[in-house]
Amino acid sequence: MTPANRSDLPARLREALQRAGFTYDAVAELLGPLGHAALGRNETTPGLRATRGGTPLETLVRLFLLQAPVAVAAAERALPGMVDRLAVEGFLEQGVGEVAARLDVRPYATGDLDLWVVSDLTPGLDGRPVRVGTDHVLGISSASTSLAQLTLREPVGRALDLGTGCGVQALHLAAHSRRVVATDVNQRALRITGFNAALNEVADRVEVRDGSFFEPVRDELFDLIATNPPFVISPATGERLVYRDSGLPGDRVVEDIVRAAPRHLADGGWCQVLANWVIARGRDWDDRLASWISEDCDAFVVQREVLDPAAYVELWLKDAGLHGGPDYAERYDTWLSWFDDQGVEGIGFGWINLHRRGSDAAGAPARDLLEWPYDVEQPIAPAIRDWAAAREVEVGPDSRLLVRPDVQQETLGAPGAEDPETVVLRQQVGLRRARRVDTVEAGLVGACDGELTVGQILDALAQLLDLDAAATRTTYLPVVRELVLEGFLED
């Protein structure tokens, strides 16, 4: 692939994709619910049935998304004057009367962004056994979309996409950053990222750099770092897939990023990591991860999922196209044995958010390590920003607080009972936390409309419930602080 900054190919391809109406919404409509859902499961038959008309849009869907050969004449209509050039550049392969894709080109839409993303072909369509190469460039995946939904989207000056892959995070960052640096050790990934930046007309804001992790930006600071590193925890068997295997033992790659990131964050900057980590036998996961975090950062870590070692091995052997292969059982056993030797009890998956404290920050750094496997509202980034904002709220008897507008109260009890047995406050957005509260807490939250101070509300509740006013303040002021930190109350 010719470097994008020396080629007119990105602009010509963009024009052809626009002319054909090759957008996410148009593709979804063309495939219909059945074909679209099947393609999400890597099955192509419903999609092939829905794209028999020969229009340029149908041709592009069959060629790039369904990986079906198309007639040369159809390819020329969809990509006028470009088929030979795309073959030379490695996008297409020409046969006798037919053209097949060698790279994936797909529309991608999220929020206000409509993009096209080039990557290597999706492996394993229709269950076909495919062994991906060591320099495979992964396309849009559930992990990349999860990181995109996690990443804060306020305008920033400088952003870093660490381990860029096909560059989808860099494209997101370019929408709200004056400058984006995208790094990777995979030369093919860097070329594809550069092409994607040009294809989406953000090449003037995206700079690609070759090198491992923070080496290419050794002395530089950023306002935002987003990374989905090659975090797969596997034994060193001599075979490495660059897009998912770091080559470092255990979860060392994630630990190294968490420890090093603060040195590359400007005051107030964020590093957001989507990662796996080891749950070690005999040690709490949160205690282990907390030991990685620098004292100059606040941290919000959320463990979203835990897999046992066997399920984890199966997941990633299938991802590599090794399921059912002649050495599958041997690889499975080797990996499980290694986990056992390393004392790995499980593997956690989730988010690590680091917020660099300013040089004048007072008090101890915030540490919130939460296990939260429940449904959340996506994108989750606003909830991360709210978490940081809540730590700035001063809570005392003179505070005037508001109940968050999305908070609802649920009561549970026997039919006909005078009072409920249980009162639960439940958020409808963000993390959608729930908290069981007593009568005082429920009354306090219900009265927080900004008119009365917290002290006045607690005094009134003490009088109503025949409680000691001083003791009520002493007991419940810390609870009010918790309600603010957990997002039930705000200033």
PDB file of all heavy atoms in Angstrom, residues 58-76:
ATOM      1  N   GLU A  58     -24.648  -2.902  -3.671  1.00  0.00           N
ATOM      2  CA  GLU A  58     -24.677  -4.355  -3.459  1.00  0.00           C
ATOM      3  C   GLU A  58     -23.329  -4.983  -3.789  1.00  0.00           C
ATOM      4  O   GLU A  58     -22.852  -5.889  -3.084  1.00  0.00           O
ATOM      5  CB  GLU A  58     -25.792  -4.967  -4.299  1.00  0.00           C
ATOM      6  CG  GLU A  58     -27.187  -4.616  -3.786  1.00  0.00           C
ATOM      7  CD  GLU A  58     -28.272  -5.010  -4.760  1.00  0.00           C
ATOM      8  OE1 GLU A  58     -28.173  -4.606  -5.945  1.00  0.00           O
ATOM      9  OE2 GLU A  58     -29.213  -5.710  -4.341  1.00  0.00           O
ATOM     10  N   THR A  59     -22.704  -4.494  -4.841  1.00  0.00           N
ATOM     11  CA  THR A  59     -21.398  -5.030  -5.217  1.00  0.00           C
ATOM     12  C   THR A  59     -20.364  -4.789  -4.120  1.00  0.00           C
ATOM     13  O   THR A  59     -19.585  -5.690  -3.777  1.00  0.00           O
ATOM     14  CB  THR A  59     -20.923  -4.394  -6.531  1.00  0.00           C
ATOM     15  OG1 THR A  59     -21.830  -4.756  -7.580  1.00  0.00           O
ATOM     16  CG2 THR A  59     -19.519  -4.842  -6.893  1.00  0.00           C
ATOM     17  N   LEU A  60     -20.338  -3.591  -3.569  1.00  0.00           N
ATOM     18  CA  LEU A  60     -19.363  -3.276  -2.521  1.00  0.00           C
ATOM     19  C   LEU A  60     -19.615  -4.109  -1.264  1.00  0.00           C
ATOM     20  O   LEU A  60     -18.664  -4.554  -0.605  1.00  0.00           O
ATOM     21  CB  LEU A  60     -19.417  -1.790  -2.194  1.00  0.00           C
ATOM     22  CG  LEU A  60     -18.928  -0.845  -3.290  1.00  0.00           C
ATOM     23  CD1 LEU A  60     -19.166   0.605  -2.885  1.00  0.00           C
ATOM     24  CD2 LEU A  60     -17.454  -1.076  -3.599  1.00  0.00           C
ATOM     25  N   VAL A  61     -20.884  -4.321  -0.927  1.00  0.00           N
ATOM     26  CA  VAL A  61     -21.206  -5.142   0.243  1.00  0.00           C
ATOM     27  C   VAL A  61     -20.748  -6.575   0.012  1.00  0.00           C
ATOM     28  O   VAL A  61     -20.120  -7.198   0.895  1.00  0.00           O
ATOM     29  CB  VAL A  61     -22.720  -5.088   0.547  1.00  0.00           C
ATOM     30  CG1 VAL A  61     -23.094  -6.125   1.603  1.00  0.00           C
ATOM     31  CG2 VAL A  61     -23.112  -3.695   1.012  1.00  0.00           C
ATOM     32  N   ARG A  62     -21.043  -7.135  -1.142  1.00  0.00           N
ATOM     33  CA  ARG A  62     -20.628  -8.515  -1.437  1.00  0.00           C
ATOM     34  C   ARG A  62     -19.106  -8.629  -1.452  1.00  0.00           C
ATOM     35  O   ARG A  62     -18.533  -9.594  -0.921  1.00  0.00           O
ATOM     36  CB  ARG A  62     -21.211  -8.962  -2.781  1.00  0.00           C
ATOM     37  CG  ARG A  62     -22.718  -9.107  -2.783  1.00  0.00           C
ATOM     38  CD  ARG A  62     -23.249  -9.442  -4.164  1.00  0.00           C
ATOM     39  NE  ARG A  62     -22.994 -10.830  -4.537  1.00  0.00           N
ATOM     40  CZ  ARG A  62     -23.819 -11.852  -4.267  1.00  0.00           C
ATOM     41  NH1 ARG A  62     -24.953 -11.627  -3.603  1.00  0.00           N
ATOM     42  NH2 ARG A  62     -23.526 -13.071  -4.667  1.00  0.00           N
ATOM     43  N   LEU A  63     -18.447  -7.649  -2.047  1.00  0.00           N
ATOM     44  CA  LEU A  63     -16.992  -7.700  -2.219  1.00  0.00           C
ATOM     45  C   LEU A  63     -16.263  -7.579  -0.888  1.00  0.00           C
ATOM     46  O   LEU A  63     -15.446  -8.445  -0.526  1.00  0.00           O
ATOM     47  CB  LEU A  63     -16.568  -6.586  -3.172  1.00  0.00           C
ATOM     48  CG  LEU A  63     -15.078  -6.469  -3.517  1.00  0.00           C
ATOM     49  CD1 LEU A  63     -14.601  -7.720  -4.232  1.00  0.00           C
ATOM     50  CD2 LEU A  63     -14.844  -5.234  -4.382  1.00  0.00           C
ATOM     51  N   PHE A  64     -16.550  -6.519  -0.127  1.00  0.00           N
ATOM     52  CA  PHE A  64     -15.751  -6.216   1.058  1.00  0.00           C
ATOM     53  C   PHE A  64     -16.304  -6.812   2.351  1.00  0.00           C
ATOM     54  O   PHE A  64     -15.530  -7.246   3.209  1.00  0.00           O
ATOM     55  CB  PHE A  64     -15.614  -4.704   1.219  1.00  0.00           C
ATOM     56  CG  PHE A  64     -14.766  -4.054   0.166  1.00  0.00           C
ATOM     57  CD1 PHE A  64     -15.286  -3.088  -0.670  1.00  0.00           C
ATOM     58  CD2 PHE A  64     -13.439  -4.415   0.006  1.00  0.00           C
ATOM     59  CE1 PHE A  64     -14.499  -2.476  -1.651  1.00  0.00           C
ATOM     60  CE2 PHE A  64     -12.642  -3.829  -0.963  1.00  0.00           C
ATOM     61  CZ  PHE A  64     -13.175  -2.857  -1.795  1.00  0.00           C
ATOM     62  N   LEU A  65     -17.613  -6.835   2.523  1.00  0.00           N
ATOM     63  CA  LEU A  65     -18.170  -7.293   3.785  1.00  0.00           C
ATOM     64  C   LEU A  65     -18.484  -8.783   3.791  1.00  0.00           C
ATOM     65  O   LEU A  65     -18.287  -9.453   4.806  1.00  0.00           O
ATOM     66  CB  LEU A  65     -19.445  -6.505   4.117  1.00  0.00           C
ATOM     67  CG  LEU A  65     -19.313  -4.980   4.153  1.00  0.00           C
ATOM     68  CD1 LEU A  65     -20.592  -4.346   4.674  1.00  0.00           C
ATOM     69  CD2 LEU A  65     -18.121  -4.556   5.001  1.00  0.00           C
ATOM     70  N   LEU A  66     -18.974  -9.289   2.676  1.00  0.00           N
ATOM     71  CA  LEU A  66     -19.341 -10.706   2.604  1.00  0.00           C
ATOM     72  C   LEU A  66     -18.221 -11.561   2.015  1.00  0.00           C
ATOM     73  O   LEU A  66     -18.328 -12.790   1.990  1.00  0.00           O
ATOM     74  CB  LEU A  66     -20.615 -10.874   1.778  1.00  0.00           C
ATOM     75  CG  LEU A  66     -21.827 -10.072   2.283  1.00  0.00           C
ATOM     76  CD1 LEU A  66     -23.000 -10.211   1.335  1.00  0.00           C
ATOM     77  CD2 LEU A  66     -22.205 -10.509   3.682  1.00  0.00           C
ATOM     78  N   GLN A  67     -17.166 -10.919   1.529  1.00  0.00           N
ATOM     79  CA  GLN A  67     -15.980 -11.599   0.996  1.00  0.00           C
ATOM     80  C   GLN A  67     -16.336 -12.570  -0.123  1.00  0.00           C
ATOM     81  O   GLN A  67     -15.797 -13.683  -0.209  1.00  0.00           O
ATOM     82  CB  GLN A  67     -15.217 -12.320   2.115  1.00  0.00           C
ATOM     83  CG  GLN A  67     -14.650 -11.387   3.170  1.00  0.00           C
ATOM     84  CD  GLN A  67     -13.881 -12.126   4.263  1.00  0.00           C
ATOM     85  OE1 GLN A  67     -13.373 -13.226   4.043  1.00  0.00           O
ATOM     86  NE2 GLN A  67     -13.788 -11.528   5.442  1.00  0.00           N
ATOM     87  N   ALA A  68     -17.253 -12.143  -0.976  1.00  0.00           N
ATOM     88  CA  ALA A  68     -17.656 -12.950  -2.129  1.00  0.00           C
ATOM     89  C   ALA A  68     -17.048 -12.363  -3.394  1.00  0.00           C
ATOM     90  O   ALA A  68     -17.052 -11.136  -3.569  1.00  0.00           O
ATOM     91  CB  ALA A  68     -19.181 -12.979  -2.246  1.00  0.00           C
ATOM     92  N   PRO A  69     -16.536 -13.180  -4.304  1.00  0.00           N
ATOM     93  CA  PRO A  69     -16.037 -12.642  -5.580  1.00  0.00           C
ATOM     94  C   PRO A  69     -17.168 -11.988  -6.363  1.00  0.00           C
ATOM     95  O   PRO A  69     -18.325 -12.411  -6.285  1.00  0.00           O
ATOM     96  CB  PRO A  69     -15.505 -13.893  -6.302  1.00  0.00           C
ATOM     97  CG  PRO A  69     -15.321 -14.927  -5.244  1.00  0.00           C
ATOM     98  CD  PRO A  69     -16.360 -14.643  -4.204  1.00  0.00           C
ATOM     99  N   VAL A  70     -16.829 -10.939  -7.090  1.00  0.00           N
ATOM    100  CA  VAL A  70     -17.810 -10.271  -7.955  1.00  0.00           C
ATOM    101  C   VAL A  70     -17.228 -10.191  -9.361  1.00  0.00           C
ATOM    102  O   VAL A  70     -16.013 -10.252  -9.568  1.00  0.00           O
ATOM    103  CB  VAL A  70     -18.151  -8.857  -7.430  1.00  0.00           C
ATOM    104  CG1 VAL A  70     -18.717  -8.921  -6.025  1.00  0.00           C
ATOM    105  CG2 VAL A  70     -16.926  -7.941  -7.473  1.00  0.00           C
ATOM    106  N   ALA A  71     -18.122 -10.048 -10.322  1.00  0.00           N
ATOM    107  CA  ALA A  71     -17.667  -9.946 -11.707  1.00  0.00           C
ATOM    108  C   ALA A  71     -16.853  -8.671 -11.902  1.00  0.00           C
ATOM    109  O   ALA A  71     -17.118  -7.645 -11.273  1.00  0.00           O
ATOM    110  CB  ALA A  71     -18.873  -9.946 -12.646  1.00  0.00           C
ATOM    111  N   VAL A  72     -15.874  -8.740 -12.786  1.00  0.00           N
ATOM    112  CA  VAL A  72     -15.030  -7.581 -13.048  1.00  0.00           C
ATOM    113  C   VAL A  72     -15.873  -6.393 -13.493  1.00  0.00           C
ATOM    114  O   VAL A  72     -15.652  -5.254 -13.063  1.00  0.00           O
ATOM    115  CB  VAL A  72     -13.968  -7.914 -14.116  1.00  0.00           C
ATOM    116  CG1 VAL A  72     -13.237  -6.647 -14.562  1.00  0.00           C
ATOM    117  CG2 VAL A  72     -12.973  -8.924 -13.583  1.00  0.00           C
ATOM    118  N   ALA A  73     -16.870  -6.636 -14.334  1.00  0.00           N
ATOM    119  CA  ALA A  73     -17.709  -5.539 -14.826  1.00  0.00           C
ATOM    120  C   ALA A  73     -18.460  -4.870 -13.677  1.00  0.00           C
ATOM    121  O   ALA A  73     -18.585  -3.636 -13.637  1.00  0.00           O
ATOM    122  CB  ALA A  73     -18.691  -6.070 -15.863  1.00  0.00           C
ATOM    123  N   ALA A  74     -18.955  -5.663 -12.730  1.00  0.00           N
ATOM    124  CA  ALA A  74     -19.660  -5.102 -11.574  1.00  0.00           C
ATOM    125  C   ALA A  74     -18.700  -4.291 -10.705  1.00  0.00           C
ATOM    126  O   ALA A  74     -19.047  -3.216 -10.203  1.00  0.00           O
ATOM    127  CB  ALA A  74     -20.314  -6.206 -10.759  1.00  0.00           C
ATOM    128  N   ALA A  75     -17.477  -4.806 -10.526  1.00  0.00           N
ATOM    129  CA  ALA A  75     -16.483  -4.078  -9.737  1.00  0.00           C
ATOM    130  C   ALA A  75     -16.126  -2.757 -10.395  1.00  0.00           C
ATOM    131  O   ALA A  75     -15.963  -1.737  -9.713  1.00  0.00           O
ATOM    132  CB  ALA A  75     -15.237  -4.939  -9.555  1.00  0.00           C
ATOM    133  N   GLU A  76     -16.035  -2.744 -11.712  1.00  0.00           N
ATOM    134  CA  GLU A  76     -15.710  -1.506 -12.426  1.00  0.00           C
ATOM    135  C   GLU A  76     -16.830  -0.474 -12.290  1.00  0.00           C
ATOM    136  O   GLU A  76     -16.570   0.722 -12.201  1.00  0.00           O
ATOM    137  CB  GLU A  76     -15.454  -1.803 -13.911  1.00  0.00           C
ATOM    138  CG  GLU A  76     -14.136  -2.509 -14.191  1.00  0.00           C
ATOM    139  CD  GLU A  76     -12.934  -1.589 -14.066  1.00  0.00           C
ATOM    140  OE1 GLU A  76     -13.114  -0.398 -13.727  1.00  0.00           O
ATOM    141  OE2 GLU A  76     -11.812  -2.068 -14.294  1.00  0.00           O
TER     142      GLU A  76
END
